[in-house]
PDB file of all heavy atoms in Angstrom:
ATOM      1  N   VAL Z  30      -5.414   2.730   0.959  1.00  0.00           N
ATOM      2  CA  VAL Z  30      -4.852   3.852   0.202  1.00  0.00           C
ATOM      3  C   VAL Z  30      -5.751   4.052  -1.017  1.00  0.00           C
ATOM      4  O   VAL Z  30      -6.619   3.223  -1.282  1.00  0.00           O
ATOM      5  CB  VAL Z  30      -3.396   3.566  -0.257  1.00  0.00           C
ATOM      6  CG1 VAL Z  30      -2.481   3.319   0.938  1.00  0.00           C
ATOM      7  CG2 VAL Z  30      -3.323   2.383  -1.230  1.00  0.00           C
ATOM      8  N   TYR Z  31      -5.557   5.133  -1.755  1.00  0.00           N
ATOM      9  CA  TYR Z  31      -6.311   5.312  -3.000  1.00  0.00           C
ATOM     10  C   TYR Z  31      -5.814   4.315  -4.045  1.00  0.00           C
ATOM     11  O   TYR Z  31      -4.614   4.048  -4.147  1.00  0.00           O
ATOM     12  CB  TYR Z  31      -6.161   6.740  -3.539  1.00  0.00           C
ATOM     13  CG  TYR Z  31      -7.136   7.719  -2.915  1.00  0.00           C
ATOM     14  CD1 TYR Z  31      -6.957   8.148  -1.604  1.00  0.00           C
ATOM     15  CD2 TYR Z  31      -8.240   8.189  -3.628  1.00  0.00           C
ATOM     16  CE1 TYR Z  31      -7.861   9.020  -1.019  1.00  0.00           C
ATOM     17  CE2 TYR Z  31      -9.148   9.076  -3.047  1.00  0.00           C
ATOM     18  CZ  TYR Z  31      -8.960   9.483  -1.744  1.00  0.00           C
ATOM     19  OH  TYR Z  31      -9.854  10.342  -1.162  1.00  0.00           O
ATOM     20  N   LYS Z  50       0.914   5.101 -14.296  1.00  0.00           N
ATOM     21  CA  LYS Z  50       1.783   4.972 -13.113  1.00  0.00           C
ATOM     22  C   LYS Z  50       3.265   4.907 -13.469  1.00  0.00           C
ATOM     23  O   LYS Z  50       4.119   5.133 -12.612  1.00  0.00           O
ATOM     24  CB  LYS Z  50       1.439   3.684 -12.342  1.00  0.00           C
ATOM     25  CG  LYS Z  50       0.195   3.773 -11.485  1.00  0.00           C
ATOM     26  CD  LYS Z  50      -0.012   2.472 -10.709  1.00  0.00           C
ATOM     27  CE  LYS Z  50       1.135   2.081  -9.810  1.00  0.00           C
ATOM     28  NZ  LYS Z  50       1.083   2.578  -8.443  1.00  0.00           N
ATOM     29  N   ARG Z  52       4.404   1.945 -14.304  1.00  0.00           N
ATOM     30  CA  ARG Z  52       4.615   0.717 -13.538  1.00  0.00           C
ATOM     31  C   ARG Z  52       5.228  -0.368 -14.415  1.00  0.00           C
ATOM     32  O   ARG Z  52       4.785  -0.568 -15.547  1.00  0.00           O
ATOM     33  CB  ARG Z  52       3.270   0.226 -13.000  1.00  0.00           C
ATOM     34  CG  ARG Z  52       3.332  -1.016 -12.103  1.00  0.00           C
ATOM     35  CD  ARG Z  52       1.911  -1.351 -11.669  1.00  0.00           C
ATOM     36  NE  ARG Z  52       1.783  -2.543 -10.859  1.00  0.00           N
ATOM     37  CZ  ARG Z  52       1.668  -2.538  -9.525  1.00  0.00           C
ATOM     38  NH1 ARG Z  52       1.731  -1.417  -8.859  1.00  0.00           N
ATOM     39  NH2 ARG Z  52       1.480  -3.666  -8.878  1.00  0.00           N
ATOM     40  N   ASN Z  56       4.733  -6.473 -12.861  1.00  0.00           N
ATOM     41  CA  ASN Z  56       4.209  -6.356 -11.494  1.00  0.00           C
ATOM     42  C   ASN Z  56       2.678  -6.422 -11.535  1.00  0.00           C
ATOM     43  O   ASN Z  56       2.035  -5.481 -11.975  1.00  0.00           O
ATOM     44  CB  ASN Z  56       4.689  -5.039 -10.872  1.00  0.00           C
ATOM     45  CG  ASN Z  56       4.478  -4.998  -9.366  1.00  0.00           C
ATOM     46  OD1 ASN Z  56       4.013  -5.974  -8.775  1.00  0.00           O
ATOM     47  ND2 ASN Z  56       4.801  -3.883  -8.759  1.00  0.00           N
ATOM     48  N   PRO Z 136      -4.043  -0.905  -8.628  1.00  0.00           N
ATOM     49  CA  PRO Z 136      -2.873  -0.742  -7.770  1.00  0.00           C
ATOM     50  C   PRO Z 136      -3.026   0.588  -7.033  1.00  0.00           C
ATOM     51  O   PRO Z 136      -3.976   1.335  -7.285  1.00  0.00           O
ATOM     52  CB  PRO Z 136      -1.730  -0.669  -8.770  1.00  0.00           C
ATOM     53  CG  PRO Z 136      -2.340  -0.008  -9.964  1.00  0.00           C
ATOM     54  CD  PRO Z 136      -3.784  -0.462 -10.006  1.00  0.00           C
ATOM     55  N   SER Z 137      -2.114   0.901  -6.158  1.00  0.00           N
ATOM     56  CA  SER Z 137      -2.141   2.196  -5.499  1.00  0.00           C
ATOM     57  C   SER Z 137      -2.016   3.301  -6.557  1.00  0.00           C
ATOM     58  O   SER Z 137      -1.298   3.136  -7.552  1.00  0.00           O
ATOM     59  CB  SER Z 137      -1.017   2.282  -4.476  1.00  0.00           C
ATOM     60  OG  SER Z 137       0.209   1.885  -5.062  1.00  0.00           O
ATOM     61  N   ALA Z 138      -2.704   4.432  -6.324  1.00  0.00           N
ATOM     62  CA  ALA Z 138      -2.840   5.472  -7.349  1.00  0.00           C
ATOM     63  C   ALA Z 138      -1.723   6.516  -7.279  1.00  0.00           C
ATOM     64  O   ALA Z 138      -1.969   7.718  -7.296  1.00  0.00           O
ATOM     65  CB  ALA Z 138      -4.199   6.143  -7.226  1.00  0.00           C
ATOM     66  N   ASN Z 139      -0.478   6.039  -7.192  1.00  0.00           N
ATOM     67  CA  ASN Z 139       0.691   6.926  -7.179  1.00  0.00           C
ATOM     68  C   ASN Z 139       1.523   6.655  -8.420  1.00  0.00           C
ATOM     69  O   ASN Z 139       1.396   5.587  -9.035  1.00  0.00           O
ATOM     70  CB  ASN Z 139       1.542   6.632  -5.936  1.00  0.00           C
ATOM     71  CG  ASN Z 139       1.845   5.146  -5.818  1.00  0.00           C
ATOM     72  OD1 ASN Z 139       0.956   4.347  -5.494  1.00  0.00           O
ATOM     73  ND2 ASN Z 139       3.078   4.756  -6.104  1.00  0.00           N
ATOM     74  N   ARG Z 140       2.394   7.600  -8.785  1.00  0.00           N
ATOM     75  CA  ARG Z 140       3.416   7.278  -9.775  1.00  0.00           C
ATOM     76  C   ARG Z 140       4.336   6.242  -9.143  1.00  0.00           C
ATOM     77  O   ARG Z 140       4.636   6.308  -7.950  1.00  0.00           O
ATOM     78  CB  ARG Z 140       4.236   8.529 -10.127  1.00  0.00           C
ATOM     79  CG  ARG Z 140       3.518   9.504 -11.033  1.00  0.00           C
ATOM     80  CD  ARG Z 140       3.514   9.076 -12.496  1.00  0.00           C
ATOM     81  NE  ARG Z 140       4.813   9.201 -13.141  1.00  0.00           N
ATOM     82  CZ  ARG Z 140       5.068   8.753 -14.372  1.00  0.00           C
ATOM     83  NH1 ARG Z 140       4.131   8.140 -15.092  1.00  0.00           N
ATOM     84  NH2 ARG Z 140       6.265   8.923 -14.888  1.00  0.00           N
ATOM     85  N   SER Z 141       4.804   5.276  -9.905  1.00  0.00           N
ATOM     86  CA  SER Z 141       5.718   4.265  -9.375  1.00  0.00           C
ATOM     87  C   SER Z 141       6.898   4.954  -8.710  1.00  0.00           C
ATOM     88  O   SER Z 141       7.444   5.907  -9.258  1.00  0.00           O
ATOM     89  CB  SER Z 141       6.224   3.364 -10.497  1.00  0.00           C
ATOM     90  OG  SER Z 141       5.371   2.270 -10.653  1.00  0.00           O
ATOM     91  N   GLY Z 142       7.268   4.470  -7.522  1.00  0.00           N
ATOM     92  CA  GLY Z 142       8.401   5.057  -6.812  1.00  0.00           C
ATOM     93  C   GLY Z 142       8.003   6.114  -5.800  1.00  0.00           C
ATOM     94  O   GLY Z 142       8.822   6.531  -4.991  1.00  0.00           O
ATOM     95  N   LYS Z 143       6.749   6.561  -5.824  1.00  0.00           N
ATOM     96  CA  LYS Z 143       6.252   7.537  -4.833  1.00  0.00           C
ATOM     97  C   LYS Z 143       5.467   6.780  -3.764  1.00  0.00           C
ATOM     98  O   LYS Z 143       4.959   5.689  -4.016  1.00  0.00           O
ATOM     99  CB  LYS Z 143       5.324   8.546  -5.518  1.00  0.00           C
ATOM    100  CG  LYS Z 143       6.048   9.535  -6.398  1.00  0.00           C
ATOM    101  CD  LYS Z 143       6.660  10.634  -5.554  1.00  0.00           C
ATOM    102  CE  LYS Z 143       7.688  11.420  -6.328  1.00  0.00           C
ATOM    103  NZ  LYS Z 143       8.628  12.140  -5.474  1.00  0.00           N
ATOM    104  N   PRO Z 144       5.321   7.381  -2.584  1.00  0.00           N
ATOM    105  CA  PRO Z 144       4.486   6.729  -1.569  1.00  0.00           C
ATOM    106  C   PRO Z 144       3.052   6.578  -2.073  1.00  0.00           C
ATOM    107  O   PRO Z 144       2.574   7.412  -2.840  1.00  0.00           O
ATOM    108  CB  PRO Z 144       4.534   7.697  -0.390  1.00  0.00           C
ATOM    109  CG  PRO Z 144       5.718   8.573  -0.618  1.00  0.00           C
ATOM    110  CD  PRO Z 144       5.890   8.651  -2.106  1.00  0.00           C
ATOM    111  N   SER Z 145       2.375   5.545  -1.628  1.00  0.00           N
ATOM    112  CA  SER Z 145       0.970   5.381  -1.997  1.00  0.00           C
ATOM    113  C   SER Z 145       0.172   6.577  -1.486  1.00  0.00           C
ATOM    114  O   SER Z 145       0.480   7.145  -0.440  1.00  0.00           O
ATOM    115  CB  SER Z 145       0.412   4.097  -1.380  1.00  0.00           C
ATOM    116  OG  SER Z 145       1.024   2.977  -1.967  1.00  0.00           O
ATOM    117  N   PRO Z 146      -0.882   6.967  -2.221  1.00  0.00           N
ATOM    118  CA  PRO Z 146      -1.654   8.149  -1.845  1.00  0.00           C
ATOM    119  C   PRO Z 146      -2.692   7.855  -0.759  1.00  0.00           C
ATOM    120  O   PRO Z 146      -3.433   6.882  -0.850  1.00  0.00           O
ATOM    121  CB  PRO Z 146      -2.360   8.541  -3.145  1.00  0.00           C
ATOM    122  CG  PRO Z 146      -2.405   7.297  -3.958  1.00  0.00           C
ATOM    123  CD  PRO Z 146      -1.307   6.397  -3.511  1.00  0.00           C
ATOM    124  N   GLU Z 174      -0.898  -0.207   2.501  1.00  0.00           N
ATOM    125  CA  GLU Z 174      -1.619  -1.111   1.632  1.00  0.00           C
ATOM    126  C   GLU Z 174      -2.038  -2.390   2.356  1.00  0.00           C
ATOM    127  O   GLU Z 174      -1.512  -2.728   3.416  1.00  0.00           O
ATOM    128  CB  GLU Z 174      -0.754  -1.473   0.411  1.00  0.00           C
ATOM    129  CG  GLU Z 174      -0.221  -0.292  -0.380  1.00  0.00           C
ATOM    130  CD  GLU Z 174       1.044   0.304   0.212  1.00  0.00           C
ATOM    131  OE1 GLU Z 174       1.386  -0.009   1.373  1.00  0.00           O
ATOM    132  OE2 GLU Z 174       1.692   1.099  -0.487  1.00  0.00           O
ATOM    133  N   ARG Z 189       3.153  -9.622   1.777  1.00  0.00           N
ATOM    134  CA  ARG Z 189       3.315  -8.197   2.135  1.00  0.00           C
ATOM    135  C   ARG Z 189       2.504  -7.949   3.399  1.00  0.00           C
ATOM    136  O   ARG Z 189       1.306  -8.185   3.401  1.00  0.00           O
ATOM    137  CB  ARG Z 189       2.794  -7.324   0.993  1.00  0.00           C
ATOM    138  CG  ARG Z 189       2.843  -5.829   1.294  1.00  0.00           C
ATOM    139  CD  ARG Z 189       2.392  -4.976   0.111  1.00  0.00           C
ATOM    140  NE  ARG Z 189       0.952  -4.955  -0.041  1.00  0.00           N
ATOM    141  CZ  ARG Z 189       0.296  -4.279  -0.984  1.00  0.00           C
ATOM    142  NH1 ARG Z 189       0.976  -3.596  -1.886  1.00  0.00           N
ATOM    143  NH2 ARG Z 189      -1.008  -4.303  -1.049  1.00  0.00           N
ATOM    144  N   HIS Z 227       9.970   0.604  -3.450  1.00  0.00           N
ATOM    145  CA  HIS Z 227       8.868   1.567  -3.428  1.00  0.00           C
ATOM    146  C   HIS Z 227       9.320   2.783  -2.631  1.00  0.00           C
ATOM    147  O   HIS Z 227      10.364   2.779  -2.014  1.00  0.00           O
ATOM    148  CB  HIS Z 227       7.661   0.961  -2.733  1.00  0.00           C
ATOM    149  CG  HIS Z 227       6.916   0.004  -3.587  1.00  0.00           C
ATOM    150  ND1 HIS Z 227       5.877  -0.745  -3.126  1.00  0.00           N
ATOM    151  CD2 HIS Z 227       7.076  -0.338  -4.873  1.00  0.00           C
ATOM    152  CE1 HIS Z 227       5.418  -1.493  -4.092  1.00  0.00           C
ATOM    153  NE2 HIS Z 227       6.130  -1.278  -5.163  1.00  0.00           N
ATOM    154  N   TYR Z 228       8.490   3.764  -2.578  1.00  0.00           N
ATOM    155  CA  TYR Z 228       8.627   4.841  -1.607  1.00  0.00           C
ATOM    156  C   TYR Z 228      10.042   5.406  -1.576  1.00  0.00           C
ATOM    157  O   TYR Z 228      10.556   5.747  -0.535  1.00  0.00           O
ATOM    158  CB  TYR Z 228       8.257   4.351  -0.186  1.00  0.00           C
ATOM    159  CG  TYR Z 228       7.336   3.180  -0.158  1.00  0.00           C
ATOM    160  CD1 TYR Z 228       7.720   1.960   0.374  1.00  0.00           C
ATOM    161  CD2 TYR Z 228       6.063   3.290  -0.701  1.00  0.00           C
ATOM    162  CE1 TYR Z 228       6.862   0.883   0.366  1.00  0.00           C
ATOM    163  CE2 TYR Z 228       5.213   2.209  -0.711  1.00  0.00           C
ATOM    164  CZ  TYR Z 228       5.616   1.013  -0.187  1.00  0.00           C
ATOM    165  OH  TYR Z 228       4.783  -0.059  -0.200  1.00  0.00           O
ATOM    166  N   TYR Z 292       2.566   7.919   5.007  1.00  0.00           N
ATOM    167  CA  TYR Z 292       2.802   8.290   3.608  1.00  0.00           C
ATOM    168  C   TYR Z 292       2.670   9.793   3.383  1.00  0.00           C
ATOM    169  O   TYR Z 292       3.403  10.370   2.574  1.00  0.00           O
ATOM    170  CB  TYR Z 292       1.867   7.523   2.669  1.00  0.00           C
ATOM    171  CG  TYR Z 292       2.245   6.070   2.499  1.00  0.00           C
ATOM    172  CD1 TYR Z 292       1.281   5.111   2.249  1.00  0.00           C
ATOM    173  CD2 TYR Z 292       3.567   5.653   2.571  1.00  0.00           C
ATOM    174  CE1 TYR Z 292       1.615   3.771   2.072  1.00  0.00           C
ATOM    175  CE2 TYR Z 292       3.915   4.323   2.394  1.00  0.00           C
ATOM    176  CZ  TYR Z 292       2.937   3.387   2.144  1.00  0.00           C
ATOM    177  OH  TYR Z 292       3.272   2.075   1.959  1.00  0.00           O
TER     178      TYR Z 292
HETATM  179 MG1  LIG G 402       1.720   0.331  -4.916  1.00  0.00          MG
END
Side-chain angles (χ1 to χ4, degrees):
V30 300
Y31 275 73
K50 282 183 58 90
R52 183 180 177 100
N56 194 2
S137 50
N139 51 288
R140 284 282 288 173
S141 270
K143 287 280 165 201
S145 293
E174 306 83 346
R189 177 177 77 179
H227 283 174
Y228 335 117
Y292 286 150

